[in-house]
Amino acid sequence: MKISFSVNEVPHSIEIKDENTPLLWVIRDMLHLKGTKYGCGKAACGACTLHVDGEAVRSCSYAVKFAEGKKIRTIEGLGTKENPHPVQQAWIEEIVPQCGYCQPGFMMATAALIDKIPEPTDDDIDRNIINVCRCATYYRMRKAIHRAAQIQRTTSKTME
Amino acid sequence: MKTIPHSIPIILLLVGGILMTAIYSRGVVSSYSSTTIPNNEVLKDTPFDKMMQVLTHERCINCHPNDNIPKQGKDSHPHYFGMKRGEDNLGFTATQCTTCHQPENNDYSGVPGAPHWSLAPKSMGWQGLDKYEIAKAMLDRAKNGNRSHDELVHHLTEDSLVLWAFDPGVDHEGIPRETPPISEAEYKAAVIAWFENGAIIPKE
Ligand code: FES
Ligand code: FES
């Protein structure tokens, strides 16, 4: 079966036998974008979080057939070294990662959060950022989420 | 030679640990029981009773909670990860039900799915009610989303999220979820017959 979608604004058409293959494996093994991680495969940890049409989605539990015609964004499409996304900027400033494995998922979840709630409270963070970090970087992550929101607010103000 | 006596206490510890875990998890399981049909009740064969065997089953009740927390599993434990009703019964702003639940069951992850996956509105909280109370709440237009009898029959027999109960997929271990005790066809016939006969709630 042929499925077409864009990933980080690049159009892709893939030919796949099992249309129920999790999007995660198409992204990692067919498109070779290894930033999106496999943690549990059960929609429990959030390591595989990416955006589908701007919504945070756990790609280990998302059949690729549902991606037809959609816009997918992965951690590779968040920002660049020269022009980091506010979430990436904040993550660098707060030196968040420990081993790093869970971080792309957290960052994608955070990017979706601050798009929808530009000034998230601690409660908003508790409700919406429910990924799992085995290194327990939660404390630094919370600081970075507030900081990312602040950078995004300032950037969007300057752009107005 | 020395390894044998050493391994015995380790094996005993392991077995003990497994037993303790089993006993502990049983304790946790029973404290979340939401079954609304008393175990000793003789199940009757009327359309009302047949319909209620389905509507009181955890496949239905888990998403009709009497609080803001969806329930999961045969033991109706609170949804993992702190997920709650959120806005519009669809979860939180950036982490919604659809972050994980798609329009179909996912047999790879064991995450259940159906079109418009959501929690039943708060006014339709059935958890903890008996079958007579559920029937009363279901017919009450102030609680049922202002649905007429015809609209209720449609919701109960045509809505793909309601009918998901009969095709609930596999859990995270790949084990099929339990379905209600009667078949989809029997359930639909019972609902239609009960409404055709005036939707009369029998005396308790
Ligand atoms: S790998 Fe998808 S949620 Fe854990
Ligand atoms: S940084 Fe190691 S799992 Fe989160």
Side-chain angles (χ1 to χ4, degrees):
Chain A
M1 161 175 209
K2 192 173 152 189
I3 303 168
S4 306
F5 46 81
S6 74
V7 180
N8 305 327
E9 295 178 13
V10 178
H12 289 278
S13 258
I14 56 147
E15 203 44 63
I16 195 157
K17 247 195 207 158
D18 179 3
E19 59 183 18
N20 290 319
T21 303
L23 177 61
L24 169 67
W25 299 117
V26 172
I27 294 285
R28 284 184 57 87
D29 293 347
M30 292 180 78
L31 305 181
H32 306 292
L33 293 167
K34 304 287 187 186
T36 308
K37 297 291 187 271
Y38 166 69
C40 62
K42 310 282 178 195
C45 73
C48 64
T49 307
L50 42 67
H51 296 176
V52 176
D53 284 350
E55 302 288 343
V57 160
R58 296 195 169 182
S59 60
C60 69
S61 188
Y62 190 92
V64 67
K65 66 184 173 194
F66 294 132
E68 174 63 39
K70 305 252 167 79
K71 285 186 179 148
I72 294 156
R73 195 185 201 190
T74 67
I75 187 78
E76 290 90 345
L78 207 54
T80 58
K81 248 189 190 165
E82 300 69 41
N83 189 18
H85 184 278
V87 173
Q88 291 168 317
Q89 184 60 41
W91 247 247
I92 294 166
E93 284 178 26
E94 298 295 346
I95 318 174
V96 178
Q98 190 73 27
C99 80
Y101 197 81
C102 70
Q103 303 288 334
F106 270 98
M107 293 168 83
M108 295 309 283
T110 302
L113 171 67
I114 64 174
D115 274 347
K116 287 165 190 276
I117 308 178
E119 201 165 351
T121 61
D122 277 346
D123 271 354
D124 292 326
I125 294 172
D126 290 344
R127 287 192 200 104
N128 288 282
I129 306 297
I130 53 174
N131 298 18
V132 176
C133 172
R134 287 295 301 270
C135 303
T137 60
Y138 302 107
Y139 174 72
R140 296 201 295 272
M141 218 130 33
R142 185 181 298 277
K143 286 205 289 182
I145 296 167
H146 286 300
R147 177 75 187 121
Q150 193 187 33
I151 300 172
Q152 183 150 295
R153 287 199 304 276
T154 329
T155 331
S156 45
K157 258 194 203 141
T158 13
M159 280 166 66
E160 271 166 19
Chain B
M1 289 292 283
K2 274 188 185 166
T3 55
I4 293 170
H6 278 175
S7 64
I8 290 171
I10 292 169
I11 290 167
L12 284 176
L13 267 175
L14 273 175
V15 171
I18 290 164
L19 282 175
M20 285 300 288
T21 314
I23 290 163
Y24 174 72
S25 44
R26 269 160 194 267
V28 173
V29 165
S30 62
S31 65
Y32 288 124
S33 174
S34 73
T35 310
T36 48
I37 303 174
N39 289 337
N40 55 1
E41 181 174 348
V42 182
L43 293 174
K44 297 181 212 99
D45 214 14
T46 65
F48 176 80
D49 286 283
K50 278 186 169 179
M51 173 178 75
M52 282 304 169
Q53 282 180 53
V54 176
L55 301 190
T56 54
H57 192 271
E58 59 273 8
R59 285 289 85 76
C60 289
I61 292 293
N62 280 357
C63 288
H64 280 261
N66 55 10
D67 53 16
N68 292 323
I69 304 168
K71 306 299 186 294
Q72 296 178 309
K74 176 122 190 74
D75 59 347
S76 296
H77 59 262
H79 195 297
Y80 293 137
F81 327 117
M83 275 312 288
K84 297 220 175 86
R85 180 184 300 281
E87 290 143 34
D88 306 327
N89 310 306
L90 296 171
F92 300 122
T93 314
T95 296
Q96 304 176 336
C97 302
T98 50
T99 298
C100 301
H101 297 274
Q102 305 310 329
E104 284 175 14
N105 295 322
N106 189 309
D107 289 349
Y108 287 107
S109 63
V111 175
H116 69 96
W117 191 267
S118 70
L119 214 52
K122 207 162 184 190
S123 68
M124 301 179 200
W126 294 349
Q127 193 186 15
L129 303 186
D130 67 24
K131 58 185 175 182
Y132 308 101
E133 291 168 328
I134 290 176
K136 265 183 221 154
M138 190 169 71
L139 297 178
D140 182 346
R141 292 186 84 129
K143 291 185 176 166
N144 75 7
N146 198 24
R147 285 187 174 95
S148 66
H149 282 194
D150 280 353
E151 287 164 334
L152 281 173
V153 172
H154 184 268
H155 175 68
L156 290 167
T157 61
E158 309 273 332
D159 191 304
S160 43
L161 183 51
V162 173
L163 298 179
W164 167 87
F166 296 97
D167 178 23
V170 298
D171 68 10
H172 63 289
E173 290 178 332
I175 299 166
R177 289 190 180 82
E178 189 187 286
T179 51
I182 61 170
S183 74
E184 182 176 337
E186 261 185 295
Y187 158 75
K188 284 183 178 175
V191 172
I192 291 165
W194 185 63
F195 277 96
E196 269 178 3
N197 291 330
I200 294 160
I201 303 169
K203 289 229 159 45
E204 294 172 36

